[in-house]
Amino acid sequence: MTNRVVPGGSWIRGFLFWMKESEAPDSYLVWAAISAIAGATQRKVFIKWIYHEYFTNHYIFLVGPAGIVHKSATIDMVRRMLRETGIATASESLTREALIDQMIKRGDGLVSPLTALPDEFSDFIRPSGSTMIEFLTSIYGCPGEWEYTTRIRGTEVILKPFLNLFCGSTPSWIANEFDVSFTDQGFAARTLFLHELLPRFRKAKVRITPEMVTMYKLLLQDLEHIAQLSEEFTWETEAVEDWFAEWYEHGIPRELESIDYRLKSYIARKPTHLLKLSMVLALSETDIPIITLDIAQRAKALLDGLETSMAKTFSAVGRNMYANDLERVYAEIMQSGGMSLAE
């Protein structure tokens, strides 16, 4: 294992140490670290599977009630770290055409990597609406090039695009904006939704220790190092690849038989998520571009753990007109620790 500067040998654990005074839920912080590493790779890290190359970019939504679970503060920390490291980030609100322009102009002419970190996904897509969703779905797989043609602008080409998305949303916005077909659409299957209702704790007085500040500086230094890596990942042994093949060929069909119908499209794409996540988990700890059995199984456990959260996110989609009100009542009861019927 290559030595890295973050104490403890894990960028993700180091990030959790730096953020230990944050009120944001644990899941938000873990996946924030994952998004930061993914953004830093800038399409330089990949693994080949069958005919295609798979990259580390993720689409991650922090879903929760406004002002309670610290979505924006968590996203802002990742934004701050990437910008301090020199990683290209997108504007928080823009049209699809502007996003295309930013991917082209902020790339180096050979590759077009960008991380988008809007506090609210609704603001991010509002200028273009459904056409932005279609673009995000199309660009997710990081094709060799992506062409866009209009009568006025002519043909524009994004060379080797890489878009990493980390954003926030509320359960009510998702319920209001999408109908029951949303969970079957390509965008939802490509996206990981983290649904939380409550913060980890509430603390008005915190102390940022010198050790935490030192950790932050080391995290930035290590993120700069990750940004310089250019690697093709492989399986550690044939036995590890066989484990993945067994899960893909037999485990996924079993999961599809028993899973909530709203998650079937996500489960079908779960192997892609596992490949992407395995590379990020490995890069958190080492420069060696190898996926071990431990890494692959940890990635699967993280993805398995999202399924309840994903189901909660989709629970109000397509339901009756009072679904959002019921979600808000439930959140208030949980936050207060209980309520009388009169309350």
Side-chain angles (χ1 to χ4, degrees), residues 230-243:
S230 181
E231 300 177 326
E232 177 182 350
F233 268 78
T234 58
W235 303 103
E236 182 183 34
T237 65
E238 188 174 351
V240 181
E241 187 176 10
D242 288 344
W243 173 88

Side-chain angles (χ1 to χ4, degrees), residues 15 19 22 24-25 27-33 35-36 60-64 69-83 89-92 115-124 164-170 194 216:
F15 181 82
M19 295 293 287
S22 167
S27 67
Y28 282 11
L29 299 180
V30 169
W31 286 93
S35 184
I60 300 171
F61 271 49
L62 305 184
V63 181
V69 285
H70 301 271
K71 301 188 299 291
S72 296
T74 304
I75 294 165
D76 185 63
M77 181 55 65
V78 177
R79 183 189 301 118
R80 167 181 159 186
M81 296 182 82
L82 290 180
R83 288 180 176 173
T89 60
S91 302
E92 279 93 87
T115 293
L117 302 123
D119 291 345
E120 290 292 338
F121 186 67
S122 58
D123 294 335
F124 186 67
N164 188 53
L165 174 65
F166 186 51
C167 62
S169 189
T170 62
L194 284 66
Y216 179 75

Side-chain angles (χ1 to χ4, degrees), residues 163-220:
L163 185 64
N164 188 53
L165 174 65
F166 186 51
C167 62
S169 189
T170 62
S172 59
W173 184 84
I174 292 175
N176 289 334
E177 291 297 317
F178 299 108
D179 60 23
V180 291
S181 67
F182 174 63
T183 58
D184 295 325
Q185 294 171 1
F187 180 74
R190 289 164 172 78
T191 305
L192 305 175
F193 296 89
L194 284 66
H195 189 286
E196 298 284 359
L197 293 174
L198 299 173
R200 288 193 295 168
F201 49 74
R202 297 184 65 85
K203 186 187 295 186
K205 293 181 66 176
V206 300
R207 179 170 177 259
I208 305 299
T209 65
E211 292 79 12
M212 293 168 67
V213 173
T214 298
M215 177 63 81
Y216 179 75
K217 294 176 180 178
L218 291 173
L219 287 168
L220 291 180

Side-chain angles (χ1 to χ4, degrees), residues 11 30 87-88 95-96 142 178 182 191 204 225 241-242 300 303:
W11 201 94
V30 169
I87 306 301
T95 64
R96 181 183 66 164
C142 304
F178 299 108
F182 174 63
T191 305
H225 175 77
E241 187 176 10
D242 288 344
K300 182 178 180 300
L303 293 171

